[in-house]
Amino acid sequence: MGVSAGWDPGRPAPAEEDVVKCVSCGLCLPHCPTFRLTGRETASPRGRIAAMRAVEEGFVQLDESFATMMDECLACRACEAACPSGVPFGRMIEAARAQVEPTRPAPARGLRRAGLAWVLPRPRLVATAGWALAIARALRLDRLAPAAQRASTPPASIAELRRPIPDTLGTGPVATVLAGCVMDVAFRPVQRATMRVVADAGYTALRTRAGGCCGALAMHYGHPEAARAMARARIPEMEAGEIVVVNGSGCSAHVKTYGELLGDDPVWAERAELVAARARDLIELSPPPRDRGLGDVAVHDACHHLHAQRIEPRAMLRDAGARCVDLGDGGRCCGAAGLYSVLQPALSADLRRQKAEAIAATGAPVVAVANSGCAIQIAAGLREIGSPVRVAHPAELLAPDA
Ligand code: SF4
Ligand code: SF4
């Protein structure tokens, strides 16, 4: 599958045996979105690996310029997929970010720790914050915020927020469905459709607790201990199912690493391995074919589907009557990448516009996007260029009446 947690609990730094695999051939460079945008070696996979190596060998300190090189990376793993030497860049960048985290200035470190290691592991806090934000937006209170800080998705109506998502649906073997951190509030139609698709695929869909983050963001941004704590909190709910269904690419890729993430934990290792083996992204399910007359559907491949898991939603969409239209951009990252649009707004905006233009050029009226972060980013990009293309999760296309 090509997914890995990539964190050595004894030493949060890129492993030497990974770093030395890079032979500096440069074949990954044309595939790297940040190198293509900037032309800088320091924004390329080869440059980043050279910096990791220099730190490893003691020639370079863990300083601000090293942190910038790691922060500008999208962790999209396009380089990993292109590398003929098998350099596992995804786990290296996560380890490098864990390595650099203690060296950040105190205010930035405190803010990141508060969000990633304190708020996200607390389901009630996450769910309450999500609801407060959704209600404020439904009441249009977000207009009081500066334009740049407003969310880019249209607010849900109060009626939509009141419409329940079933806790369980269907018959057959149990499939646990990860509710996740903010999906229940921010993407309620996707959650309802997900339950329907899982039930259609022959399972009893059983939803986990709202607000329960899988830990992907914490892992991605240099807080592996918080990610481990969140994995331990999710596993008891997840192991109730014969499979575990996750409807976001970054989250499904991360849950598949639980075995490695907790591999050194004598209490949790076996259970984590079991959950990881049972994890499926929603786009890997095979509900019975049902022609919904979808017509042309542009397909955006999320990086953590295409590069980290090597999976894609076309078979599922074709079974629902879609004529899938590929984007002509080689599957380049849309610039959402976790918190990238917040932390690297300029680079993210360039990628957002390029992605929106590639989607609009297909001429399809709808684009399938199987990840919430990409959906927000792409919807904003399409609005920026004045395109009417609609953004929909594959689950919504398969279960439009959910
Ligand atoms: S990461 Fe792979 S493709 Fe890129 S320079 Fe190193 S060996 Fe070559
Ligand atoms: S993960 Fe993506 S942005 Fe980072 S070096 Fe690789 S290709 Fe470039």
Side-chain angles (χ1 to χ4, degrees):
M1 279 283 177
V3 287
S4 58
W7 180 66
D8 174 358
R11 187 172 169 277
E16 188 185 354
E17 62 265 29
D18 290 345
V19 172
V20 297
K21 276 189 180 161
C22 176
V23 295
S24 301
C25 65
L27 291 173
C28 54
L29 266 57
H31 300 270
C32 173
T34 56
F35 177 73
R36 289 174 65 110
L37 278 180
T38 66
R40 280 190 274 116
E41 180 73 9
T42 53
S44 76
R46 185 172 62 187
R48 290 178 177 123
I49 295 167
M52 292 174 196
R53 191 171 195 158
V55 166
E56 161 80 27
E57 292 173 352
F59 297 123
V60 167
Q61 297 294 312
L62 285 172
D63 60 9
E64 200 182 330
S65 62
F66 180 81
T68 301
M69 287 176 77
M70 301 307 132
D71 288 348
E72 282 183 349
C73 175
L74 294 144
C76 68
R77 297 171 62 170
C79 51
E80 185 175 318
C83 175
S85 302
V87 173
F89 191 83
R91 69 188 191 194
M92 291 161 68
I93 189 69
E94 288 185 340
R97 285 180 174 168
Q99 183 183 28
V100 87
E101 193 64 15
T103 72
R104 294 186 190 279
R109 203 169 63 238
L111 200 61
R112 291 163 72 99
R113 174 161 286 282
L116 297 165
W118 195 78
V119 176
L120 280 181
R122 291 174 167 76
R124 278 203 190 142
L125 205 55
V126 174
T128 306
W131 277 106
L133 196 63
I135 291 168
R137 292 190 67 215
L139 297 173
R140 306 308 308 269
L141 297 179
D142 61 330
R143 283 178 296 186
L144 302 174
Q149 288 167 19
R150 283 177 217 149
S152 52
T153 48
S157 65
I158 291 289
E160 169 60 31
L161 290 176
R162 286 167 63 98
R163 225 179 128 197
I165 304 167
D167 287 329
T168 178
L169 194 69
T171 54
V174 171
T176 318
V177 178
L178 178 71
C181 43
V182 296
M183 288 293 287
D184 267 23
V185 180
F187 290 86
R188 291 179 76 75
V190 175
Q191 297 295 74
R192 275 195 297 273
T194 294
M195 294 294 284
R196 280 283 302 277
V197 171
V198 174
D200 268 2
Y203 294 96
T204 301
L206 180 68
R207 209 158 57 96
T208 63
R209 194 156 52 130
C213 178
C214 66
L217 265 188
M219 189 68 202
H220 212 53
Y221 285 98
H223 286 269
E225 272 306 340
R228 280 156 62 94
M230 285 183 259
R232 289 187 200 101
R234 297 289 80 73
I235 286 170
E237 296 175 288
M238 289 176 164
E239 61 193 355
E242 286 197 12
I243 62 168
V244 178
V245 179
V246 186
N247 65 4
S249 57
C251 307
S252 59
H254 181 65
V255 173
K256 288 178 181 181
T257 70
Y258 274 9
E260 189 182 341
L261 188 64
L262 295 175
D264 67 320
D265 186 321
V267 176
W268 290 92
E270 208 173 305
R271 295 171 71 178
E273 190 62 55
L274 189 72
V275 164
R278 291 177 177 178
R280 309 277 184 278
D281 192 282
L282 180 87
I283 67 171
E284 295 180 274
L285 297 189
S286 306
R290 187 173 298 142
D291 189 350
R292 296 198 175 270
L294 294 175
D296 288 345
V297 175
V299 181
H300 162 72
D301 289 296
C303 299
H304 277 79
H305 283 152
L306 191 62
H307 307 308
Q309 301 181 69
R310 320 268 162 106
I311 57 175
E312 44 101 350
R314 287 168 186 74
M316 168 185 265
L317 291 168
R318 282 194 197 106
D319 280 351
R323 284 188 299 277
C324 295
V325 187
D326 288 341
L327 312 186
D329 67 351
R332 202 169 311 142
C333 180
C334 65
L339 301 173
Y340 199 82
S341 59
V342 177
L343 299 175
Q344 302 290 334
L347 289 171
S348 176
D350 286 344
L351 292 168
R352 182 170 66 226
R353 196 197 63 254
Q354 288 179 1
K355 181 61 71 175
E357 285 168 352
I359 292 168
T362 65
V366 61
V367 57
V369 181
N371 182 61
S372 58
C374 304
I376 291 172
Q377 174 87 337
I378 287 171
L382 290 167
R383 264 200 310 284
E384 276 166 8
I385 65 165
S387 167
V389 177
R390 179 169 72 92
V391 177
H393 192 285
E396 294 177 283
L397 297 173
L398 265 63
D401 46 352

